[in-house]
Amino acid sequence: MAQQLRDAISSRLKALKFTLAHVAAGIGRDESTLRAWLRGANRVAFEDVLALDSYFADLGHDGLLEELRPHPPRSHWRAEEEPLASIDRLDADGTQTDCIKLQRLGDDHNTPHSPLSKLAALGLLEKSILYFRLDAGIYAVHLGSHCPPPFSQFSVGQDVRRHTDPGLGNTLHRQLLAQTVSNERRPRLLRLISPHGSCLLFSLPLSESFVVSLPLSSGAA
């Protein structure tokens, strides 16, 4: 694995004109630790591999995790942002109303209630997933009982990158993590697409720590 990791990182450093010091700072590790990984002197934890994958993906060089796997994941997901106006076409089941409710929740910074209490008051608790950012991870802290697959395959307390489909987990993780950054803190309608199907997600950051998502439809095969 050391050789695969060395090749994967070296190609990205060359393309970005970065040094190992940049990478070490980006994932919160010492440069000496990275050099030990590349020499094969120290074992690389899976969490560190995920951190490297996310770091390079945020810079436009994704796929590191797949390069290190002996077999590729069963599906390759990508995310496409759709215009919020697309919600109008999905209103047969009250989707537009739910999204408007959720958007108002994001605008409400005055009440002291917890995000879960607010979701319950709007009648959205069982339809939504609440995520919490902790360092470089995004964790599901609430999973509504009415959430469809593949979202229903998350577990409370689980980093989304550990979804049973790693392609979906890593793609969704990158999107949600970006929404906790101040200049990206806005509602987004995301279509998550793989060769096996797609799913639509309305996602809204409530703060730099919390993101709530409302699965709207699934076309998974």
Side-chain angles (χ1 to χ4, degrees):
M1 172 155 173
Q3 182 63 51
Q4 291 173 290
L5 186 62
R6 186 159 55 244
D7 292 344
I9 290 179
S10 295
S11 64
R12 287 163 172 79
L13 292 180
K14 183 177 180 180
L16 292 165
K17 295 181 171 57
F18 276 17
T19 66
L20 273 181
H22 290 105
V23 181
I27 66 170
R29 288 287 195 169
D30 293 331
E31 184 178 351
S32 59
T33 300
L34 266 72
R35 293 191 180 279
W37 291 345
L38 300 184
R39 292 196 310 270
N42 289 346
R43 177 181 173 275
V44 187
F46 184 60
E47 290 79 5
D48 291 316
V49 175
L50 290 176
L52 286 165
D53 177 71
S54 295
Y55 173 77
F56 283 115
D58 289 343
L59 296 169
H61 292 264
D62 57 2
L64 182 141
L65 184 62
E66 285 74 15
E67 291 176 30
L68 302 183
R69 291 179 181 277
H71 304 287
R74 64 180 177 86
S75 63
H76 299 276
W77 291 80
R78 70 182 191 276
E80 293 182 357
E81 186 168 357
E82 296 198 358
L84 291 177
S86 300
I87 294 170
D88 296 346
R89 302 197 301 268
L90 304 169
D91 202 36
D93 59 354
T95 294
Q96 186 180 22
T97 301
D98 287 343
C99 291
I100 290 172
K101 287 180 181 179
L102 198 58
Q103 203 155 350
R104 287 175 179 165
L105 174 63
D107 294 335
D108 179 13
H109 304 291
N110 299 318
T111 58
H113 303 297
S114 71
L116 289 177
S117 297
K118 293 180 180 180
L119 287 170
L122 294 173
L124 297 177
L125 190 62
E126 297 309 320
K127 299 179 181 181
S128 304
I129 311 171
L130 185 66
Y131 303 97
F132 180 74
R133 174 178 179 169
L134 182 63
D135 297 327
I138 295 286
Y139 296 83
V141 294
H142 166 75
L143 178 66
S145 60
H146 297 165
C147 291
F151 303 101
S152 58
Q153 295 164 355
F154 285 112
S155 299
V156 172
Q158 175 189 37
D159 189 323
V160 300
R161 290 171 291 190
R162 294 183 179 274
H163 189 273
T164 53
D165 185 325
L168 171 62
N170 281 283
T171 300
L172 183 58
H173 179 272
R174 288 194 289 270
Q175 299 298 321
L176 295 172
L177 193 64
Q179 282 193 277
T180 64
V181 180
S182 59
N183 61 352
E184 289 291 331
R185 211 169 294 161
R186 58 181 175 81
R188 299 173 73 190
L189 185 62
L190 296 171
R191 183 167 295 279
L192 302 167
I193 305 168
S194 85
H196 308 288
S198 69
C199 45
L200 196 61
L201 193 70
F202 181 68
S203 185
L204 177 72
L206 302 180
S207 68
E208 63 181 9
S209 299
F210 285 104
V211 181
V212 62
S213 291
L214 185 67
L216 303 181
S217 67
S218 178

Coordinates of all heavy atoms in Angstrom, one line a residue, residues 62-97:
D62 N -9.9 14.2 -7.2 CA -10.5 13.2 -6.4 C -10.0 11.8 -6.9 O -9.2 11.7 -7.8 CB -12.0 13.3 -6.4 CG -12.5 13.3 -7.8 OD1 -11.7 13.1 -8.8 OD2 -13.8 13.4 -8.0
G63 N -10.5 10.7 -6.3 CA -10.2 9.4 -6.7 C -9.1 8.7 -6.0 O -8.7 7.5 -6.3
L64 N -8.4 9.4 -5.0 CA -7.3 8.7 -4.3 C -7.7 7.4 -3.6 O -7.0 6.4 -3.7 CB -6.7 9.7 -3.3 CG -5.5 9.2 -2.5 CD1 -4.5 10.3 -2.3 CD2 -5.9 8.7 -1.2
L65 N -8.9 7.5 -3.0 CA -9.3 6.3 -2.3 C -9.5 5.1 -3.2 O -9.1 4.0 -2.9 CB -10.7 6.6 -1.6 CG -11.2 5.4 -0.7 CD1 -10.3 5.1 0.5 CD2 -12.6 5.8 -0.1
E66 N -10.1 5.3 -4.4 CA -10.3 4.3 -5.4 C -9.0 3.7 -5.9 O -8.8 2.5 -6.1 CB -11.1 4.8 -6.6 CG -12.6 5.0 -6.3 CD -12.9 6.2 -5.4 OE1 -12.0 7.0 -5.3 OE2 -14.0 6.3 -4.9
E67 N -7.9 4.6 -6.0 CA -6.6 4.1 -6.4 C -6.0 3.2 -5.4 O -5.1 2.3 -5.8 CB -5.7 5.3 -6.7 CG -6.1 6.2 -7.9 CD -5.3 7.4 -8.0 OE1 -4.1 7.3 -7.7 OE2 -5.8 8.4 -8.5
L68 N -6.3 3.3 -4.2 CA -5.7 2.4 -3.1 C -6.5 1.2 -2.9 O -6.0 0.3 -2.2 CB -5.6 3.2 -1.8 CG -4.8 4.5 -1.9 CD1 -4.8 5.2 -0.5 CD2 -3.4 4.3 -2.4
R69 N -7.7 1.0 -3.5 CA -8.5 -0.2 -3.2 C -8.0 -1.3 -4.2 O -7.7 -1.0 -5.4 CB -9.9 0.1 -3.5 CG -10.6 1.0 -2.5 CD -12.0 1.2 -2.8 NE -12.7 2.1 -1.9 CZ -13.2 1.8 -0.7 NH1 -13.1 0.5 -0.4 NH2 -13.7 2.6 0.1
P70 N -8.0 -2.5 -3.7 CA -7.7 -3.6 -4.6 C -8.7 -3.8 -5.7 O -8.5 -4.3 -6.7 CB -7.6 -4.8 -3.7 CG -8.3 -4.4 -2.4 CD -8.1 -3.0 -2.3
H71 N -10.0 -3.4 -5.3 CA -11.1 -3.5 -6.3 C -11.9 -2.2 -6.1 O -12.0 -1.6 -5.0 CB -12.1 -4.6 -5.9 CG -11.4 -6.0 -5.9 ND1 -11.0 -6.6 -7.0 CD2 -11.0 -6.8 -4.9 CE1 -10.4 -7.8 -6.7 NE2 -10.4 -7.9 -5.4
P72 N -12.3 -1.6 -7.2 CA -13.1 -0.4 -7.2 C -14.4 -0.5 -6.4 O -14.9 -1.6 -6.4 CB -13.3 0.0 -8.6 CG -13.2 -1.3 -9.4 CD -12.3 -2.2 -8.6
P73 N -14.9 0.5 -5.9 CA -16.3 0.4 -5.2 C -17.3 0.1 -6.3 O -17.1 0.3 -7.5 CB -16.5 1.8 -4.7 CG -15.6 2.7 -5.4 CD -14.4 1.9 -5.8
R74 N -18.4 -0.5 -5.8 CA -19.4 -1.0 -6.7 C -20.1 0.1 -7.6 O -20.8 -0.2 -8.5 CB -20.5 -1.8 -6.0 CG -21.3 -1.0 -5.0 CD -22.3 -1.9 -4.3 NE -23.1 -1.2 -3.3 CZ -24.2 -0.5 -3.6 NH1 -24.6 -0.4 -4.8 NH2 -24.8 0.1 -2.6
S75 N -20.0 1.3 -7.1 CA -20.6 2.4 -7.9 C -19.7 3.6 -7.8 O -19.1 3.9 -6.8 CB -22.0 2.7 -7.5 OG -22.1 3.1 -6.2
H76 N -19.8 4.5 -8.8 CA -19.0 5.7 -8.8 C -20.1 6.9 -8.8 O -20.7 7.1 -9.8 CB -18.1 5.8 -10.0 CG -17.1 4.7 -10.0 ND1 -15.9 4.8 -9.3 CD2 -17.1 3.5 -10.5 CE1 -15.2 3.7 -9.4 NE2 -15.9 2.9 -10.2
W77 N -20.2 7.6 -7.7 CA -21.2 8.6 -7.6 C -20.6 10.0 -8.0 O -19.4 10.2 -7.8 CB -21.7 8.7 -6.2 CG -22.6 7.5 -5.8 CD1 -22.1 6.3 -5.4 CD2 -24.0 7.5 -5.8 NE1 -23.2 5.5 -5.2 CE2 -24.4 6.2 -5.4 CE3 -25.0 8.4 -6.1 CZ2 -25.7 5.8 -5.2 CZ3 -26.3 8.0 -6.0 CH2 -26.6 6.7 -5.5
R78 N -21.4 10.9 -8.5 CA -21.0 12.3 -8.6 C -22.2 13.1 -8.2 O -23.4 12.6 -8.1 CB -20.7 12.6 -10.1 CG -21.8 12.5 -11.1 CD -21.3 12.8 -12.5 NE -22.5 13.0 -13.4 CZ -23.1 12.1 -14.0 NH1 -22.8 10.8 -13.8 NH2 -24.1 12.4 -14.8
A79 N -22.0 14.4 -7.9 CA -23.0 15.3 -7.5 C -23.2 16.4 -8.5 O -22.2 17.0 -9.0 CB -22.7 15.9 -6.1
E80 N -24.4 16.7 -8.8 CA -24.8 17.8 -9.7 C -25.8 18.7 -9.0 O -26.8 18.2 -8.5 CB -25.3 17.4 -11.0 CG -24.4 16.6 -11.9 CD -24.9 16.2 -13.2 OE1 -26.2 16.4 -13.4 OE2 -24.2 15.6 -14.0
E81 N -25.5 20.0 -8.9 CA -26.4 20.9 -8.3 C -27.5 21.3 -9.3 O -27.2 21.7 -10.5 CB -25.7 22.2 -7.8 CG -26.6 23.1 -7.0 CD -25.8 24.2 -6.2 OE1 -24.5 24.2 -6.3 OE2 -26.4 25.0 -5.6
E82 N -28.7 21.3 -8.9 CA -29.8 21.7 -9.7 C -30.4 23.0 -9.3 O -30.3 23.3 -8.1 CB -30.9 20.6 -9.7 CG -30.5 19.3 -10.3 CD -31.6 18.4 -10.7 OE1 -32.8 18.7 -10.5 OE2 -31.4 17.3 -11.2
P83 N -31.1 23.7 -10.1 CA -31.7 25.0 -9.7 C -32.8 24.7 -8.7 O -33.5 23.7 -8.8 CB -32.4 25.5 -11.0 CG -31.7 24.8 -12.1 CD -31.2 23.5 -11.6
L84 N -32.9 25.5 -7.7 CA -33.9 25.3 -6.6 C -35.3 25.3 -7.2 O -36.3 24.7 -6.7 CB -33.8 26.4 -5.5 CG -32.6 26.3 -4.7 CD1 -32.5 27.5 -3.7 CD2 -32.5 25.0 -3.9
A85 N -35.5 26.0 -8.3 CA -36.8 26.0 -9.0 C -37.3 24.6 -9.4 O -38.5 24.4 -9.6 CB -36.8 26.9 -10.2
S86 N -36.4 23.7 -9.5 CA -36.7 22.3 -9.9 C -37.7 21.6 -8.9 O -38.3 20.7 -9.2 CB -35.5 21.4 -10.1 OG -34.6 22.0 -11.1
I87 N -37.6 22.2 -7.7 CA -38.5 21.6 -6.6 C -40.0 21.7 -7.0 O -40.8 20.9 -6.6 CB -38.2 22.3 -5.3 CG1 -36.8 22.0 -4.8 CG2 -39.3 22.0 -4.2 CD1 -36.4 22.9 -3.6
D88 N -40.3 22.7 -7.8 CA -41.7 22.9 -8.2 C -42.3 21.7 -8.9 O -43.5 21.5 -8.9 CB -41.8 24.2 -9.1 CG -41.5 25.5 -8.4 OD1 -41.4 25.4 -7.2 OD2 -41.3 26.5 -9.1
R89 N -41.4 21.0 -9.6 CA -41.9 19.8 -10.4 C -42.2 18.6 -9.5 O -42.7 17.6 -10.0 CB -40.9 19.4 -11.5 CG -40.6 20.6 -12.4 CD -39.9 20.0 -13.7 NE -38.6 19.4 -13.4 CZ -37.4 19.9 -13.4 NH1 -37.3 21.2 -13.6 NH2 -36.4 19.2 -13.1
L90 N -41.8 18.7 -8.2 CA -41.9 17.5 -7.3 C -43.0 17.7 -6.3 O -43.0 17.1 -5.2 CB -40.6 17.3 -6.6 CG -39.4 17.1 -7.5 CD1 -38.1 17.1 -6.7 CD2 -39.5 15.7 -8.3
D91 N -43.9 18.7 -6.5 CA -44.8 19.1 -5.4 C -46.1 18.2 -5.2 O -46.9 18.5 -4.4 CB -45.3 20.5 -5.7 CG -45.8 21.2 -4.4 OD1 -45.2 20.9 -3.3 OD2 -46.8 22.0 -4.4
A92 N -46.2 17.1 -5.9 CA -47.4 16.3 -5.8 C -47.5 15.7 -4.4 O -48.6 15.5 -3.9 CB -47.3 15.1 -6.8
D93 N -46.4 15.5 -3.7 CA -46.4 14.9 -2.3 C -46.1 16.0 -1.2 O -45.7 15.6 -0.1 CB -45.5 13.8 -2.2 CG -44.0 14.1 -2.5 OD1 -43.8 15.3 -3.0 OD2 -43.1 13.3 -2.4
G94 N -46.2 17.3 -1.6 CA -45.9 18.3 -0.6 C -44.5 18.7 -0.5 O -44.1 19.3 0.5
T95 N -43.7 18.2 -1.4 CA -42.2 18.5 -1.4 C -41.9 19.9 -1.3 O -41.0 20.4 -0.5 CB -41.5 17.8 -2.6 OG1 -41.7 16.4 -2.5 CG2 -40.1 18.2 -2.6
Q96 N -42.5 20.7 -2.1 CA -42.2 22.2 -2.1 C -42.5 22.8 -0.8 O -41.7 23.6 -0.3 CB -43.0 22.9 -3.2 CG -42.6 24.3 -3.4 CD -43.4 25.0 -4.5 OE1 -44.5 24.6 -4.9 NE2 -42.9 26.1 -5.1
T97 N -43.6 22.4 -0.2 CA -44.0 22.9 1.1 C -43.0 22.6 2.2 O -42.6 23.4 3.0 CB -45.4 22.4 1.5 OG1 -46.4 22.8 0.6 CG2 -45.8 22.9 2.9

